[in-house]
Amino acid sequence: MYRGRFFNRSSVHVCGGYLDGDIYPVYQPAGKRRSRCRPTGEIQQRLNQRNAEKKLTRLVHNNFGEDDLALDLTFAVKPESQEEALRLLRNYLGRLRRLYRKRGRELKYIWVMEYGQQSGRVHFHMILSGGGDRDELERLWGLGYANSRRLQFDENGLTALVKYITKDRITYKRWSGSRNLVHPEPMVKDGTVTMADVKEMRDAIDSRNAHAY
């Protein structure tokens, strides 16, 4: 009696010059189509743990380039609550939209909310599309320290930036982005990667020869 099958699923995202991929085992019960089958429980837990960080990384690479900016925002006066901090951020985003419309540019952004480890003060990290004078963008904040810089697409630039702003456990409630962000779709294939292939890739990583793949 046919009871289903196990196979490896590969899921690859190509986001500008950035590529990431996952390979994981899937059990497909008899009678279920591919779109309905799910990874096994233990694998799914590990995938969920990394999901928010990986999604944020892909969004950044898929929507921003070398002409875009990273922006750090702090408060001179501590907001009374998280809700108040978010309200002030939304007001700032409204001022940015008006500025970008005036410049004839489209505003895209991603923000991440973080709390200082020692002070406990909330602050924001943003990645946003270029479109205005950096000094003007910083002055528009008007609530404390603001510092902007061009995105750098190398391991010490954008990759390090995304790793930094996701160093804490990130959930959707701790970050958000503009509605016009383009979300990359994965290329999904089933059964093309064998367990022997997985072992070879694991051995290559262990021997620091992963570039061969």
Side-chain angles (χ1 to χ4, degrees), residues 6-9 23-27 38-40 43 46 195:
F6 284 96
F7 54 87
N8 288 323
R9 172 171 294 172
I23 301 171
Y24 49 89
V26 174
Y27 172 64
R38 296 289 184 268
T40 58
I43 297 297
R46 292 203 295 267
M195 293 306 297

Side-chain angles (χ1 to χ4, degrees), residues 52-53 55-57 59-60 64 69-73 109-115 123-128 149 151 157-171 174-176:
E53 177 181 341
K55 180 179 180 179
L56 183 58
T57 302
L59 275 177
V60 170
F64 300 97
L69 303 171
L71 179 62
D72 300 320
L73 303 170
Y109 62 83
I110 292 173
W111 59 259
V112 176
M113 181 170 60
E114 185 183 11
Y115 290 88
H123 55 278
F124 294 98
H125 302 287
M126 291 185 63
I127 295 174
L128 69 160
R149 56 198 180 278
L151 295 181
L158 186 59
T159 301
L161 172 64
V162 173
K163 184 177 181 180
Y164 172 76
I165 64 178
T166 58
K167 64 182 182 294
D168 296 325
R169 188 178 181 89
I170 296 296
T171 66
R174 292 278 299 277
W175 73 273
S176 188

Side-chain angles (χ1 to χ4, degrees), residues 171-183:
T171 66
Y172 182 75
K173 294 181 180 180
R174 292 278 299 277
W175 73 273
S176 188
S178 54
R179 294 181 180 180
N180 56 350
L181 293 175
V182 179
H183 293 252

Side-chain angles (χ1 to χ4, degrees), residues 3 23 30 35 45 80 82 89 94 99-100 108 110 113 117 140 148 169 178 180 185 197 209:
R3 299 182 180 276
I23 301 171
S35 60
Q45 288 180 5
E80 295 181 357
Q82 175 178 303
L89 177 67
L99 174 64
Y100 276 59
K108 287 186 176 184
I110 292 173
M113 181 170 60
Q117 294 183 351
L140 275 179
S148 62
R169 188 178 181 89
S178 54
N180 56 350
E185 294 293 332
D197 294 330
N209 193 33

Side-chain angles (χ1 to χ4, degrees), residues 43-175:
I43 297 297
Q44 186 64 61
Q45 288 180 5
R46 292 203 295 267
L47 290 173
N48 289 342
Q49 186 174 347
R50 294 186 302 158
N51 182 60
E53 177 181 341
K54 290 174 71 69
K55 180 179 180 179
L56 183 58
T57 302
R58 290 193 292 261
L59 275 177
V60 170
H61 282 276
N62 205 53
N63 288 276
F64 300 97
E66 294 180 350
D67 293 330
D68 299 322
L69 303 171
L71 179 62
D72 300 320
L73 303 170
T74 65
F75 293 93
V77 178
K78 184 178 180 180
E80 295 181 357
S81 64
Q82 175 178 303
E83 290 72 22
E84 174 68 6
L86 290 172
R87 184 186 69 81
L88 295 171
L89 177 67
R90 287 192 291 268
N91 290 344
Y92 175 64
L93 291 172
R95 296 194 293 274
L96 285 181
R97 291 189 189 95
R98 290 190 290 272
L99 174 64
Y100 276 59
R101 282 197 297 267
K102 183 178 178 180
R103 298 282 190 267
R105 300 291 299 271
E106 180 183 29
L107 174 64
K108 287 186 176 184
Y109 62 83
I110 292 173
W111 59 259
V112 176
M113 181 170 60
E114 185 183 11
Y115 290 88
Q117 294 183 351
Q118 296 181 350
S119 66
R121 283 178 174 259
V122 65
H123 55 278
F124 294 98
H125 302 287
M126 291 185 63
I127 295 174
L128 69 160
S129 50
D133 179 81
R134 289 167 56 188
D135 291 336
E136 189 173 14
L137 296 178
E138 294 171 4
R139 284 196 301 269
L140 275 179
W141 174 237
L143 297 172
Y145 176 79
N147 181 58
S148 62
R149 56 198 180 278
R150 295 287 182 186
L151 295 181
Q152 300 293 323
F153 282 75
D154 56 44
E155 64 180 7
N156 296 316
L158 186 59
T159 301
L161 172 64
V162 173
K163 184 177 181 180
Y164 172 76
I165 64 178
T166 58
K167 64 182 182 294
D168 296 325
R169 188 178 181 89
I170 296 296
T171 66
Y172 182 75
K173 294 181 180 180
R174 292 278 299 277
W175 73 273

